[in-house]
Amino acid sequence: MVSTIFLPAAACLVVSWIGLVLRFHGRGRLSGTRHSRRLFAGVLAATTAVAVVTCVYILPHLSSLPPVAVGVAAGAAVVPREKAPNSGRPVTALLTFGISWLLGALSRRLTSDRADWCEEMTLGVTDGYALVRFASDVRTHLLARLEEPGFGQTARAIDKRREEIEQRFREAKKAAERSIKTETEVEKAWHASGNPVTSEDKTKALCHFGEALHGCQLLLHMAHDHGRRSSDGVLHGLREGAAFHAAPPRWREVPPPRSGESAVRPV
């Protein structure tokens, strides 16, 4: 019983765990939210179930194959690898159909969790100057925490990540500066004419600010995917510092209050 079921299940669980970490490395946090943890556990349970079913019902007809090898093979189903089109066998595709569906659901959930995290991290940063300050602080935070070349990290990979951080910061800064320029022009026209800001000018300014906000969130993707959860508190502190000095234009519409918050309109 131990060699037929428990050893293959344990081997499958270990291999699946390692395979999932490798597959989603740099793509999100497997234990970031309750939903991702459930899907993570679901993939582990599915691969283990395939290993156990194979050992109980198929292995007796293949006496030369050790049970542990079945567990390792089942766990390897989640290990990332290149696959040629139509290379899978029908039996293998049938056994791993549920695993493939769970992997797709887990990938989508990680993407959604990352977007939610980045949006939450930019709450309160309501003008272009605050975005530039926050993006600059995030860039410094990320560069200061780049690992030295060593186990699992080559100098080339670290240089590539450093360049990606710099590139995303430049794009976020450029978008924020364009947003500042647009809002300044709208502000001057508003004061000069004394008339309400036109819908066209307001839409243009809000679109440019949205692009700047998105650029900052793309930079935060690097912090989410490659940073540690223990560093989230530091990023929240940087966000609070930037939000404290934020001063959105008075002509901009006040967004609806979030759940549990009261609407405060500018005087």
Side-chain angles (χ1 to χ4, degrees):
M1 178 68 70
V2 173
S3 62
T4 305
I5 296 180
F6 292 107
L7 286 181
C12 177
L13 192 64
V14 172
V15 174
S16 298
W17 190 294
I18 297 173
L20 286 173
V21 171
L22 293 175
R23 173 183 285 268
F24 294 106
H25 176 68
R27 295 174 55 189
R29 298 177 178 178
L30 290 172
S31 58
T33 64
R34 181 179 68 257
H35 299 291
S36 63
R37 287 192 293 270
R38 286 178 179 176
L39 288 169
F40 182 35
V43 174
L44 295 178
T47 54
T48 304
V50 169
V52 171
V53 169
T54 302
C55 289
V56 172
Y57 294 101
I58 300 178
L59 191 60
H61 304 286
L62 302 172
S63 57
S64 61
L65 188 66
V68 175
V70 175
V72 173
V78 300
V79 176
R81 60 187 182 276
E82 294 185 0
K83 181 179 178 182
N86 302 322
S87 61
R89 297 180 179 178
V91 175
T92 304
L94 180 63
L95 289 174
T96 60
F97 174 76
I99 299 175
S100 299
W101 184 89
L102 286 172
L103 286 173
L106 179 56
S107 178
R108 292 188 295 272
R109 169 52 59 181
L110 292 180
T111 301
S112 177
D113 289 345
R114 179 177 60 188
D116 292 341
W117 184 88
C118 292
E119 289 176 0
E120 189 273 337
M121 196 61 71
T122 53
L123 287 177
V125 185
T126 53
D127 72 346
Y129 292 103
L131 277 176
V132 172
R133 173 178 175 174
F134 184 45
S136 178
D137 290 341
V138 172
R139 166 184 170 273
T140 302
H141 171 85
L142 292 174
L143 292 177
R145 285 160 178 77
L146 282 177
E147 304 92 342
E148 292 295 328
F151 179 75
Q153 288 290 340
T154 64
R156 183 177 180 180
I158 294 174
D159 290 340
K160 181 179 179 180
R161 190 186 304 176
R162 180 182 292 108
E163 177 57 32
E164 188 173 0
I165 292 171
E166 296 286 7
Q167 178 65 24
R168 295 195 183 193
F169 169 70
R170 288 192 294 267
E171 293 174 353
K173 183 180 179 182
K174 181 179 179 181
E177 289 174 345
R178 183 172 65 170
S179 175
I180 293 171
K181 180 180 179 181
T182 303
E183 290 189 346
T184 301
E185 293 174 350
V186 173
E187 190 88 11
K188 289 181 178 179
W190 178 45
H191 285 297
S193 65
N195 298 321
V197 178
T198 64
S199 298
E200 181 180 356
D201 288 342
K202 185 181 295 185
T203 300
K204 180 180 179 181
L206 290 175
C207 287
H208 286 179
F209 178 74
E211 292 172 1
L213 196 64
H214 179 64
C216 187
Q217 291 170 356
L218 288 179
L219 177 61
L220 284 167
H221 281 190
M222 303 292 294
H224 180 271
D225 292 346
H226 300 285
R228 298 179 180 273
R229 295 182 65 182
S230 58
S231 298
D232 287 1
V234 177
L235 291 170
H236 276 99
L238 297 177
R239 190 271 308 274
E240 294 300 326
F244 180 78
H245 298 282
R250 295 183 60 183
W251 49 263
R252 187 188 295 172
E253 292 183 358
V254 177
R258 302 179 66 197
S259 176
E261 296 181 357
S262 58
V264 179
R265 292 187 175 274
V267 180

